[in-house]
Every structure is written in C-alpha cells, then in structure tokens.
Amino acid sequence: MRVPLPPQSRVVKRLVPRSFLGRSLLIVLVPLVLVEAVALQIFYGTHLDVVSRRFSSAIAGEIAVTVALLDRYPSPDDQAWILANGWEYFEMTMRLEPGRVRPEHERPPLFAPVQANLAAALQERVRLPFAMDWRSDPLSVVIRVQWGDSILVVDAPRKRLYTGTIYLFVLWLVGSAMLLFAIAAVFMRNQVRGIRRLAAGAEAFGTGRDIGPIKPEGATEVRQAAAAFNLMQARVRRFLAQRTEMLAGVSHDLRTPLTRLRLALAMLPVREDTQRDIADMTEDLEEMDRMIGGYLAFVRGVGEEPAQPADLPLLLEEVAARARRAGADIALEVPEELSVMLRPDGFRRAVTNLVDNARRHGRHVRLAAATAGPHAVEVTVDDDGPGILPARREEVFRPFESGPGGGTGLGLTIALDIVRAHGGDIVLEDSAMGGLRARITLPV
Ligand SMILES: Nc1ncnc2c1ncn2[C@@H]1O[C@H](COP(=O)(O)OP(=O)(O)OP(=O)(O)O)[C@@H](O)[C@H]1O
Ligand SMILES: [Mg+2]
C-alpha cells in the first residue's frame, strides 16, 4: 500500500532538483556545506570570540587609563597632553566635549558578538556611563564616556577590534566549496552525458530513425547500458529485416503463379455458363495482385532513396492531380514556395496513401501544407467522412489493420514508416470538415 506523503516531504520533493546532474551535485554540496558550517561555528564560537574579547578589553583598558589620568591631572595643560597621547600610543583620537551621553547610540546590531564584547569590556573596566556609535563611521567606532560634565569622545579604529583571519577563513570555506562544486559539476556532467545520449538514442530508435550504435561513455554501468542498447538495436533491426525480407520473398514468389493463373484464365474459352465465374475470378486475382503490390510497396517503403531538397507544393500538386484524374474531389492549399529536404518518391507515396484513405472514406478531400514554427512543416489531409474514433487511432497504424470497407491495412503503416524515416510523425485528429485529419509533421 502506498502511504500518502505528509505535506512537508512534498515540499522537500519539489525543492530537490529533478535531474540526475542536479541531484548528484546536491549530494556533494549538502554535506560539504554542513561540514563547513560546523567548522565555521567552532572557529567563530571559540577562537574568534577569545580574540575579540582580548581586543575589546585592550581598548577598554586604554580608555580606563585615560580616564584615570584625566581624574588625576585636572590642569588643562595636562589634560591636553593626556588626550594627545591617546593618538600617540593607542592609535585612538580622543577629545573632551561638553554635554551628556545620549544612550540611543548604544543599541548594537542584532548578531554582533564584537559589539557585545566591547560593551561588556567597557562596562567592566571604565565603569562610567558610555555609548557606542557603530554607524556613523565605517572605519572606527565612536565611544562616548561620561566624564563629569563632559564627554570623552574616543574614535577607536575598527581594525583594532577585528582580526583579518576570519575573512581569510570564510574566503577559504566559500572558495573551497565553489572549487569542489565546479570540479564535481564538470565530472558529473560527463557522467550524465552518457545517460542523456542513451535516452536520446532510445527515443530516436523508437520513432524509427536510424541513429547507428551509440558511443558507450562514462561509468561502467552506463557503458553497459549503452552496449546492451546497441545489441538490442541490432537484434530488432535484424528481426525487422528478416520480416520484410520474408514478406518480399513471399509476395514476389506469389506473383509468378498469380500471373500464370491470370493468363490461363484469360485463355479459357468464354462460355455462357462460365462467363460470370471467370469475371469474378479475374476480379479476385486482380485484388490479390493489388494486395501483393501493396506488400511489396511496404517492403520497399523505407528504401534507400536519398533525401534531397524538394519543392513540396509541386509534389503535393502532383498527388492531388493524380487523385483528381481518378475522380476525387480534392482541394489543394499550399504556399507559393516551400523547399524541404525529403525523399520525394517515399514522401509522395506517404501522402498518396493518406489521400487514398480520405477519398475512400469521405467525399471531399482537402490537402494542405504550411510551415509550423521555425523548425517544422505540416502537411494535412482532411476529409468529411466518418472519421476514426480516438481509441482506434493508434491501432489503424498497425500493419494489416483494416476496418470495414478497407483494403490491405498497410496504407497508414507505410505512410508512418516513411514519415518517421524522415524524422517526422503522423497524428490523426478530428477534422474541421467533419471527418478525419491526418497531420504529417516534418522537421526542416
Ligand atoms: N480517412 C479515414 N476515415 C475513416 N477511416 C479511416 C481513414 N483512413 C483510414 N481509416 C481506417 O483505418 C484503416 C487502416 O487504414 P490503412 O490505410 O492503413 O489501410 P486500408 O486503407 O484499409 O488499406 P490500404 O491502404 O493498404 O489499401 C482503414 O481500413 C480504415 O478503417
Ligand atoms: Mg488506406
């Protein structure tokens, strides 16, 4: 029994990439990021914190010394000397301003261990009301300490609070992750290419295109799959060849006795009582001959005719003209000019088969051609007959599948074989004329 997925695992499913490449990269990347995050946490949480505390307490201590000196030597001269020393020895500019410390400067950003450490150190060492301003100067922190009625303003350079190694470390983490990811992506892409090629090969072979054996590449399993596919392809091909050969042989061999029979029948003396029978037999023989002709055409259908640039409107005109001569009511709608690479004899036969069907089942036929997007042309054959039920539209393509009033049941099979050999396809649909529409799509 299948248990329905809880909603969150459906969300996970949607987030996980669908392609093999994406998934394998994820498999590489997720543990990597996890490991690095743990490393960063350990480094940041212990080593960096200790360093930052030391830095903070050094600054706080220097400010505390300055405050103590200011307390001890109140004369303006001394005080100026003390403040000047701040720069000299601590790399911090210091000055006294009248006023009161405004506490709104005090709020540090949320995730800010350095700020918190400095605040703690100032509290511990200086023991006077103070405020820190982290915003107004990107290079330094302005610390204001309430000293009597004045404010001791200290510009402490930020570089005294941070250590450069954290950037190096983060850079190393991100850089190594990216490097690993890039290497994995390159290697995995090559692995996936073999699978993709196999899928494309199977698809092409399934639609009857000749792609030849596919090159085995990638991991052993993928190579094995490719080799197995090539073997299967060869077997299927051999089987098909045997089938067509046999059909050709049988048809061909039947023709000779059939011709003999027809001749013998024609030589029979015509008598009143046998005349009807002879006529019937001749008709039957002719039908058999037509059928054999059909089988032979089927066998030859996917012949070795080379593809060449062909004038599609002209070709369709020929088909329509021939149908008209045989008494069909056929309308032709083709563009002025449309040159397509195809095997003219084969393609003419495919369209003729469709037109024959339309004629047989409908009264009016419409043959049309048009470009369908930048990479395809479409040839459609419409009729106003009874059409084919959607459920039957697949089976009529099978050989010898013939409905009421049908022929040998090879027409559509041959047409599809030919069109697929061109890399195209035939689809049966409802026609706007009321009957069936056969739509040939050809890549160009
Ligand atoms: N335009 C159509 N309208 C209605 N049914 C059709 C149409 N085209 C084909 N069919 C049905 O599909 C069946 C198979 O067609 P297909 O052309 O393969 O063979 P066929 O016409 O019976 O024989 P063949 O073409 O070899 O003389 C037909 O027998 C018919 O029942
Ligand atoms: Mg037919």
Side-chain angles (χ1 to χ4, degrees):
M1 197 180 78
R2 276 181 72 98
V3 185
L5 293 172
Q8 63 266 38
S9 61
R10 247 179 282 147
V11 171
V12 168
K13 228 177 165 180
R14 209 164 338 123
L15 287 180
V16 168
R18 304 188 72 87
S19 73
F20 181 57
L21 182 62
R23 287 187 178 192
S24 10
L25 289 181
L26 202 68
I27 292 171
V28 173
L29 205 64
V30 167
L32 185 72
V33 168
L34 271 179
V35 165
E36 298 205 328
V38 170
L40 191 66
Q41 174 51 37
I42 290 170
F43 186 77
Y44 206 83
T46 56
H47 171 72
L48 258 192
D49 197 45
V50 170
V51 171
S52 148
R53 267 174 221 264
R54 300 244 164 99
F55 286 166
S56 297
S57 87
I59 288 184
E62 286 155 15
I63 294 175
V65 165
T66 308
V67 170
L69 284 172
L70 289 174
D71 281 341
R72 177 87 194 243
Y73 302 100
S75 94
D77 260 8
D78 288 340
Q79 294 200 343
W81 178 81
I82 293 167
L83 293 176
N85 273 349
W87 176 247
E88 185 93 353
Y89 297 118
F90 307 144
E91 269 187 87
M92 302 196 281
T93 57
M94 297 177 169
R95 61 185 186 279
L96 281 173
E97 278 176 5
R100 302 216 73 81
V101 166
R102 279 179 298 144
E104 64 261 31
H105 286 304
E106 208 165 348
R107 205 156 22 98
L110 256 183
F111 176 70
V114 175
Q115 279 88 327
N117 285 341
L118 182 59
L122 287 171
Q123 222 143 38
E124 194 186 310
R125 302 253 164 149
V126 183
R127 285 191 229 107
L128 286 172
F130 68 91
M132 299 184 295
D133 176 2
W134 290 87
R135 283 169 230 270
S136 46
D137 188 345
L139 288 180
S140 61
V141 192
V142 183
I143 302 165
R144 293 183 170 81
V145 179
Q146 192 70 52
W147 182 65
D149 286 336
S150 323
I151 306 173
L152 171 64
V153 183
V154 181
D155 269 348
R158 286 188 191 217
K159 66 172 197 271
R160 285 203 51 192
L161 281 163
Y162 293 94
T163 144
T165 46
I166 181 66
Y167 298 112
L168 264 182
F169 190 68
V170 170
L171 206 73
W172 156 248
L173 286 190
V174 173
S176 64
M178 275 171 27
L179 189 71
L180 238 135
F181 186 75
I183 292 173
V186 169
F187 279 96
M188 286 312 299
R189 261 252 295 279
N190 284 342
Q191 296 306 312
V192 171
R193 202 171 46 210
I195 301 177
R196 283 219 187 104
R197 189 166 289 181
L198 187 59
E203 167 77 24
F205 185 58
T207 55
R209 258 172 286 156
D210 186 6
I211 43 147
I214 46 179
K215 196 173 117 218
E217 61 178 339
T220 318
E221 291 85 349
V222 181
R223 276 167 200 269
Q224 272 170 356
F229 174 81
N230 285 339
L231 220 72
M232 179 200 75
Q233 200 183 349
R235 263 190 229 124
V236 170
R237 233 179 260 292
R238 213 178 316 131
F239 169 73
L240 283 179
Q242 273 170 1
R243 190 196 66 171
T244 37
E245 240 167 65
M246 198 173 79
L247 193 58
V250 170
S251 306
H252 188 263
D253 293 352
L254 278 179
R255 261 209 163 148
T256 323
L258 208 64
T259 315
R260 263 205 312 267
L261 254 178
R262 211 164 36 175
L263 272 177
L265 216 55
M267 304 290 255
L268 275 187
V270 181
R271 283 208 326 252
E272 191 102 358
D273 52 336
T274 55
Q275 194 182 354
R276 263 205 72 82
D277 292 338
I278 291 178
D280 282 353
M281 280 194 265
T282 313
E283 215 169 89
D284 279 349
L285 279 178
E286 250 150 36
E287 188 173 350
M288 281 164 82
D289 196 47
R290 251 203 323 279
M291 282 166 140
I292 289 173
Y295 301 149
L296 284 172
F298 170 55
V299 172
R300 275 196 300 265
V302 250
E304 303 294 284
E305 190 188 2
Q308 59 194 72
D311 183 349
L312 188 62
L314 189 72
L315 189 147
L316 296 182
E317 243 160 66
E318 285 167 18
V319 173
R322 196 181 300 167
R324 254 185 226 124
R325 275 201 298 278
D329 172 9
I330 177 164
L332 186 69
E333 279 170 39
V334 287
E336 284 277 304
E337 229 187 76
L338 190 56
S339 179
V340 183
M341 281 294 282
L342 41 79
R343 306 169 183 173
D345 285 342
F347 196 73
R348 198 179 293 118
R349 146 136 252 123
V351 179
T352 305
N353 286 2
L354 297 180
V355 169
D356 283 351
N357 282 352
R359 275 176 54 201
R360 186 180 291 165
H361 297 279
R363 259 203 247 207
H364 304 286
V365 182
R366 179 173 162 272
L367 177 61
T371 52
H375 302 298
V377 295
E378 272 181 6
V379 176
T380 50
V381 183
D382 287 82
D383 67 59
D384 57 353
I388 301 180
L389 289 176
R392 267 199 82 214
R393 282 178 193 165
E394 196 151 330
E395 70 194 40
V396 290
F397 281 110
R398 288 207 284 263
F400 312 114
E401 197 73 43
S402 184
T408 48
L410 281 172
L412 285 174
T413 316
I414 294 171
L416 187 63
D417 264 8
I418 294 172
V419 170
R420 288 215 168 140
H422 284 82
D425 204 3
I426 303 183
V427 183
L428 300 182
E429 302 168 339
D430 290 325
S431 166
M433 288 170 65
L436 187 77
R437 156 175 290 187
R439 183 160 55 87
I440 303 179
T441 328
L442 274 189
V444 288

